[in-house]
Amino acid sequence: MATALLTTAGLIIILSLLSMLHADNPMRTMRAIFAQIFGFATIPAIAALSARPDGSLLIDRLVSAMIIMSVATACIVIAGLGGAKFADRAEGYFKHANQLGIALSAGLPLVGARLVTARKHRMLLAGCLVAVLLGLVKSGSKTNFVVGVSGLGLFFALYAVYLAVRRQRPLTVIAGVIAAPLVLQAALFILQSLNPRAHRLLMTQLSGGEAHSMISRERLWSISIDLGLAHPFTGVGAGQPIGDIAPHSHNLFIEYFRTLGVPGVGLITIMVLLVVVILVGAVVPTLLGQGKSKYASTNAMLLGSAVCVWNYLVANQMSDSFGPSTAPFFWIPLALLIAYRSMQRSPTPEIGERRLTYYEAIPGAAQTLGT
């Protein structure tokens, strides 16, 4: 399955390169190309790391690095340092606040997964979770606030199902069900206190009103669709802005239709469907008990990685459009998901059993890429 995914990414790269021939700004086509190249850099590398004898430790360190990055970014935004100074929307060292929001919302489920599996430093991890949430609030990105909070709730719901199926920690499951609405109310209260504008616009949208940002997006989508219809087979060229209005269409499928025409939207649709199949193929067996209880940490991190990927896909329907600045927050969690699934299928040997050498384990990584 991963091979099919990378093949689709390769076809998008080829189509983007061909679009340089008619694009107004050929150099901007590299935006779409770099977004896909990340997949070729991350999936094989992380699959090979996970196949090493100490693969679980290496993957654990990689996840720790992502968590540290998310917390550090959030703390910079909270403190208002450097490029993170803001009025009601913070960019943080990204170009736009939406990109910051995508980065933080993608990291939230990993922090949550590490929190529920950690045997020590839980208070520190809980503080990290709160810090990332506060950074997300201060980014002022309404879409990513909703995606981040709901994604975190989705992870805890999946983990509760995971525990319930195994009849483990029933008190934890009951406490989580009771605490969930309270946490949601607390998150909305924090948003109202720290970012009144974002809270007001969010409430307007949830109540059925028409917020300015939604009207702007609808107009942007209409213009983008018209441009795609004017160039149905070639598009206007990968990575091309919408005149002086916006750098992209704020929707993944509309963006690829506008820039690469019908072939582009067809390829990105295939890619999304492949990702959904990977998500379902990893999450459902984990929930139904095909991951043994002694691999609880791997199972929880798999669920967290899956929600990270889901958050990114959902956010790209309203926020970014698979740009190079945020693409790593899609490819790295997806590569982690594939690696954790491989670790489920090839569990760490029991003490006393012979471990595979690095060269014996490499075919395992190749098999992971091919499934």
Side-chain angles (χ1 to χ4, degrees):
M1 193 64 69
T3 301
L5 185 66
L6 291 179
T7 300
T8 307
L11 292 175
I12 291 176
I13 291 174
I14 293 172
L15 199 61
S16 299
L17 288 171
L18 291 175
S19 73
M20 296 178 74
L21 298 174
H22 62 269
D24 292 336
N25 187 346
M27 290 304 298
R28 282 188 62 89
T29 61
M30 299 305 295
R31 290 174 50 83
I33 293 170
F34 282 135
Q36 303 300 329
I37 286 177
F38 280 120
F40 291 91
T42 54
I43 291 181
I46 293 178
L49 286 176
S50 67
R52 291 173 62 98
D54 57 346
S56 60
L57 177 62
L58 295 174
I59 296 300
D60 184 71
R61 289 175 178 173
L62 178 59
V63 171
S64 297
M66 286 196 66
I67 292 174
I68 292 171
M69 177 209 66
S70 298
V71 174
T73 303
C75 289
I76 288 173
V77 173
I78 294 170
L81 299 176
K85 293 180 179 178
F86 68 100
D88 56 2
R89 288 173 65 84
E91 293 82 13
Y93 293 104
F94 287 88
K95 188 175 181 180
H96 301 290
N98 288 337
Q99 295 171 344
L100 171 64
I102 284 180
L104 294 179
S105 65
L108 267 176
L110 286 180
V111 183
R114 178 60 62 83
L115 175 63
V116 299
T117 59
R119 296 183 178 180
K120 54 183 179 180
H121 306 309
R122 287 194 171 183
M123 291 301 297
L124 176 61
L125 287 167
C128 292
L129 188 66
V130 172
V132 177
L133 276 170
L134 288 176
L136 187 58
V137 167
K138 286 207 165 186
S139 74
S141 175
K142 303 175 296 300
T143 297
N144 289 294
F145 174 79
V146 173
V147 170
V149 173
S150 60
L152 188 61
L154 175 61
F155 165 73
F156 284 120
L158 291 174
Y159 189 65
V161 173
Y162 169 84
L163 293 176
V165 168
R166 290 161 177 77
R167 298 181 180 179
Q168 296 176 351
R169 300 163 64 180
L171 294 178
T172 301
V173 175
I174 295 172
V177 172
I178 296 173
L182 299 177
V183 172
L184 177 60
Q185 288 295 327
L188 291 174
F189 175 77
I190 293 172
L191 179 64
Q192 183 179 19
S193 301
L194 298 180
N195 205 321
R197 172 187 172 276
H199 180 269
R200 184 178 65 257
L201 293 175
L202 178 61
M203 291 299 104
T204 300
Q205 291 177 222
L206 294 178
S207 62
E210 293 188 344
H212 173 72
S213 58
M214 274 303 301
I215 297 173
S216 299
R217 277 180 171 79
E218 290 173 0
R219 178 170 174 266
L220 191 62
W221 294 340
S222 177
I223 294 173
S224 298
I225 292 172
D226 289 341
L227 288 171
L229 291 173
H231 308 84
F233 300 109
T234 61
V236 299
Q240 302 304 299
I242 308 172
D244 297 329
I245 302 174
H248 55 83
S249 301
H250 285 271
N251 180 279
L252 181 62
F253 299 104
I254 295 176
E255 172 73 3
Y256 272 78
F257 177 59
R258 178 182 68 86
T259 57
L260 295 176
V262 173
V265 74
L267 287 173
I268 201 63
T269 301
I270 292 172
M271 174 178 282
V272 171
L273 290 176
L274 288 172
V275 171
V276 171
V277 170
I278 292 174
L279 289 176
V280 174
V283 171
V284 173
T286 301
L287 294 180
L288 296 182
Q290 295 183 18
K292 298 181 179 179
S293 59
K294 64 181 177 180
Y295 308 123
S297 177
T298 297
N299 295 335
M301 296 309 300
L302 181 147
L303 295 176
S305 301
V307 176
C308 286
V309 176
W310 178 254
N311 280 0
Y312 187 88
L313 290 178
V314 173
N316 271 262
Q317 309 314 312
M318 287 284 291
S319 191
D320 201 28
S321 302
F322 210 154
S325 299
T326 62
F329 301 102
F330 166 75
W331 289 112
I332 295 177
L334 181 60
L336 289 173
L337 174 65
I338 295 172
Y340 283 125
R341 184 60 179 152
S342 176
M343 291 162 65
Q344 281 183 333
R345 293 172 175 174
S346 304
T348 304
E350 298 290 339
I351 297 175
E353 292 184 7
R354 186 179 70 86
R355 290 178 176 270
L356 293 177
T357 65
Y358 173 70
Y359 296 101
E360 290 174 322
I362 284 296
Q367 184 181 4
T368 301
L369 292 175
T371 58

